Amino acid sequence: MRKQIVAGNWKMHTSLQEGSALATSINKMVKNEVENKETGVVIAPPHTHLSVVNQLINTERICLAAQNCASEAKGAFTGEVSAKMLSTFGVKAVILGHSERRAYYGETNETLMKKVNLVIENNMKPIFCCGEKLEEREAGNYFDVVKEQIENVVFNLSKEDFEKVIIAYEPVWAIGTGKTASSDQAQEMHAYIRKLIVEKFGNDIADNTTILYGGSCKPSNAVELFSKPDVDGGLIGGASLKAEDFIGIINSFN
Ligand code: PGA
């Protein structure tokens, strides 16, 4: 059966000192409050904090993730950080295709395909984000938008490699806006994504694929969202910056 996961995306927040304090608090609270739970815990600090945070957490219980990686393996790409470099910091997963990266850094399916392949080649898991913008939701073509994003990237993988992928459905209109998708809207899209996976890779793989919801998820709405059969956890932005809220979300599974 698929794993339930709560992943914190810190985005471009926290100084090294603040990030270290946050990681230390999360580590302590995970040990005291959720040690025996099955839920997977992932944190994605900024690149600059990874190596320090890796030393501060119990890496058996908390998975260290990065928020992005370069689309090339190595070479003259000033300012970029390769998938291989990340793997040497103890990174086990990489968030790819976040809507902020698609919108502000022009990430296309083509670049994302390269990044997904590099992450897998370096024995890490892609956390692949998809989701429609407000105007696409309002125009009623949100299923097609998400289908296109998934089909043109992660569906190009072999079955074996697709099994390493975690999907995160993040409606762009819900990210950082305080406007959460209703649990029915989330369930509807998650069920649709799972149906696409059934058609492409079969029932077993679809049953085992973790599909996270992201977009203004917080302790007060996580219980309702996570009660839905196809919502396997969350990718959390703002609320992952407070250890109590993040732990509250992890504790929201029944
Ligand atoms: P948010 O961000 O929880 O602050 O809405 C979610 C995300 O962007 O992953």
Side-chain angles (χ1 to χ4, degrees):
M1 201 47 194
R2 58 188 173 263
K3 199 166 171 55
Q4 294 175 325
I5 295 173
V6 174
N9 173 11
W10 296 6
K11 307 194 180 181
M12 199 170 71
H13 293 294
T14 73
S15 65
L16 181 58
Q17 289 72 17
E18 290 160 347
S20 300
L22 178 59
T24 304
S25 301
I26 290 172
N27 190 58
K28 198 165 150 200
M29 291 179 85
V30 165
K31 183 169 168 32
N32 294 337
E33 297 181 38
V34 290
E35 185 78 333
N36 299 321
K37 287 206 166 186
E38 294 285 303
T39 310
V41 180
V42 178
I43 55 173
H47 284 356
T48 45
H49 303 9
L50 289 169
S51 135
V52 169
V53 168
N54 188 41
Q55 308 295 318
L56 295 172
I57 56 172
N58 172 8
T59 52
E60 301 282 301
R61 185 63 186 89
I62 303 177
C63 167
L64 186 65
Q67 299 171 20
N68 180 35
C69 71
S71 57
E72 303 299 327
K74 63 176 179 180
F77 299 101
T78 302
E80 290 293 281
V81 177
S82 74
K84 188 167 189 173
M85 291 170 188
L86 293 173
S87 72
T88 62
F89 292 154
V91 169
K92 303 278 181 338
V94 183
I95 299 171
L96 292 176
H98 191 282
S99 61
E100 288 151 17
R101 296 218 50 93
R102 292 178 193 261
Y104 309 142
Y105 300 96
E107 290 201 345
T108 60
N109 292 334
E110 201 187 0
T111 19
L112 288 171
M113 191 71 243
K114 292 199 215 170
K115 293 184 180 197
V116 166
N117 281 325
L118 286 163
V119 164
I120 292 174
E121 272 167 34
N122 285 283
N123 301 314
M124 300 179 290
K125 284 172 175 284
I127 301 176
F128 182 76
C129 305
C130 55
E132 81 284 358
K133 300 189 194 106
L134 182 61
E135 56 273 25
E136 294 162 337
R137 164 82 33 188
E138 286 172 349
N141 59 350
Y142 44 101
F143 288 123
D144 291 342
V145 171
V146 169
K147 183 177 187 208
E148 191 274 336
Q149 291 170 334
I150 291 180
E151 275 189 350
N152 288 304
V153 185
V154 285
F155 277 8
N156 290 326
L157 294 168
S158 66
K159 236 182 189 186
E160 293 65 39
D161 283 345
F162 182 80
E163 288 182 285
K164 298 164 190 155
V165 174
I166 296 162
I167 306 252
Y169 167 59
E170 299 203 302
V172 180
W173 45 274
I175 296 178
T177 56
K179 237 198 237 175
T180 324
S182 71
S183 58
D184 287 339
Q185 286 172 321
Q187 168 57 24
E188 182 187 38
M189 183 59 87
H190 284 226
Y192 174 72
I193 293 171
R194 207 173 304 282
K195 183 174 111 320
L196 294 176
I197 304 171
V198 169
E199 287 161 9
K200 175 73 184 171
F201 293 115
N203 275 315
D204 287 355
I205 295 200
D207 270 351
N208 284 324
T209 304
T210 297
I211 308 177
L212 306 178
Y213 167 78
S216 300
C217 183
K218 39 190 184 272
S220 56
N221 56 30
V223 175
E224 169 68 20
L225 284 161
F226 296 176
S227 70
K228 295 294 178 184
D230 288 292
V231 178
D232 308 316
L235 179 55
I236 320 298
S240 73
L241 295 169
K242 276 201 193 133
E244 305 75 45
D245 287 355
F246 188 54
I247 301 297
I249 294 172
I250 299 169
N251 273 325
S252 296
F253 285 107
N254 290 319

